[in-house]
């Protein structure tokens, strides 16, 4: 079951914040490392923050107006006036292959369309490579719209999912 992540739940549900930070940081190479304060800030500013199970999967996305300093988010903001940016989507190793990330994306697509957005954007690491994420996003209909070399040594491919065909 998909559940909205709220600051209230994080403070009231013992160990939930720690479990979500661990889920994120187990995949920090692909996502970027967070501490509890940073994750709380991301969730507080998100257009959508959802999880499956306690910490089987998580998706955090922002709209173009978010107060967010990610260079990847800012790349999209410089090019598009309106969008939903997927900052992180992650599935625990134990929950892989169950369609959880796809279900999270489906909810995001529905919500984005309901409020009039016409695109969802994200980036996937090209160096270090992330072939599983490449294949996943391609299967959803994402297409490349740019690349960047980041200051942390990563190279990313920027992707867009036009919602008129979804």
């Amino acid at each position: 079951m998909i559940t909205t992540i709220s600051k209230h739940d994080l403070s009231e549900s013992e160990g939930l914040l720690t479990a979500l930070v661990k889920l994120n940081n187990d995949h920090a190479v692909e996502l970027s490392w967070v501490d509890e304060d940073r994750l709380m800030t991301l969730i507080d500013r998100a257009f959508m923050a959802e999880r499956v199970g306690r910490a089987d999967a998580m998706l955090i996305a922002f709209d173009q107006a978010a107060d967010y300093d990610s260079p990847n988010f800012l790349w999209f903001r410089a090019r598009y006036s309106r969008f939903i940016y997927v900052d992180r989507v992650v599935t625990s190793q134990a929950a892989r292959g169950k369609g959880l990330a796809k279900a999270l994306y489906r909810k995001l697509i529905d919500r984005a369309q309901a409020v009039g957005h016409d695109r969802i954007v994200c980036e996937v690491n090209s160096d270090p490579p992330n072939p599983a994420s490449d294949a996943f996003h391609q299967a959803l209909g994402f297409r490349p719209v740019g690349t960047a070399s980041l200051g942390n040594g990563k190279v990313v491919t920027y992707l867009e999912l036009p919602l008129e065909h979804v």
Side-chain angles (χ1 to χ4, degrees):
M1 179 167 87
I2 298 175
T3 306
T4 298
I5 306 169
S6 71
K7 286 177 76 173
H8 174 76
D9 291 338
L10 292 174
S11 62
E12 295 297 315
S13 180
E14 188 171 332
L16 178 59
L17 179 57
T18 301
L20 293 172
V21 167
K22 181 179 180 342
L23 172 64
N24 183 94
N25 291 343
D26 284 350
H27 305 277
V29 169
E30 297 86 3
L31 300 174
S32 74
W33 186 88
V34 295
D35 60 19
E36 290 185 357
D37 288 340
R38 179 66 171 168
L39 187 60
M40 288 283 281
T41 299
L42 294 175
I43 289 165
D44 188 46
R45 295 177 180 176
F47 169 81
M48 190 174 111
E50 304 286 330
R51 65 184 166 94
V52 178
R54 183 158 179 84
D56 292 327
M58 173 176 65
L59 182 144
I60 299 174
F62 300 95
D63 69 13
Q64 71 286 333
D67 178 13
Y68 192 38
D69 60 357
S70 158
N72 297 313
F73 173 80
L74 296 174
W75 188 93
F76 287 110
R77 184 185 273 167
R79 288 158 179 82
Y80 299 117
S81 61
R82 195 161 157 80
F83 60 89
I84 298 295
Y85 169 73
V86 177
D87 183 62
R88 57 199 67 226
V89 60
V90 59
T91 302
S92 70
Q93 193 65 36
R96 296 247 165 106
K98 297 179 181 178
L100 303 182
K102 188 173 183 179
L104 287 165
Y105 260 104
R106 183 73 254 161
K107 185 169 183 179
L108 178 63
I109 289 165
D110 291 346
R111 183 158 179 220
Q113 288 176 318
V115 297
H117 283 282
D118 61 358
R119 71 176 46 93
I120 293 175
V121 298
C122 67
E123 82 282 343
V124 174
N125 291 347
S126 344
D127 187 17
N130 191 343
S133 188
D134 286 335
F136 172 76
H137 285 91
Q138 183 177 10
L140 288 176
F142 280 84
R143 62 183 186 207
V145 292
T147 61
S149 296
L150 306 178
N152 60 8
K154 288 183 181 179
V155 177
V156 296
T157 300
Y158 294 118
L159 304 173
E160 172 190 39
L161 176 66
L163 295 180
E164 69 268 9
H165 302 296
V166 177

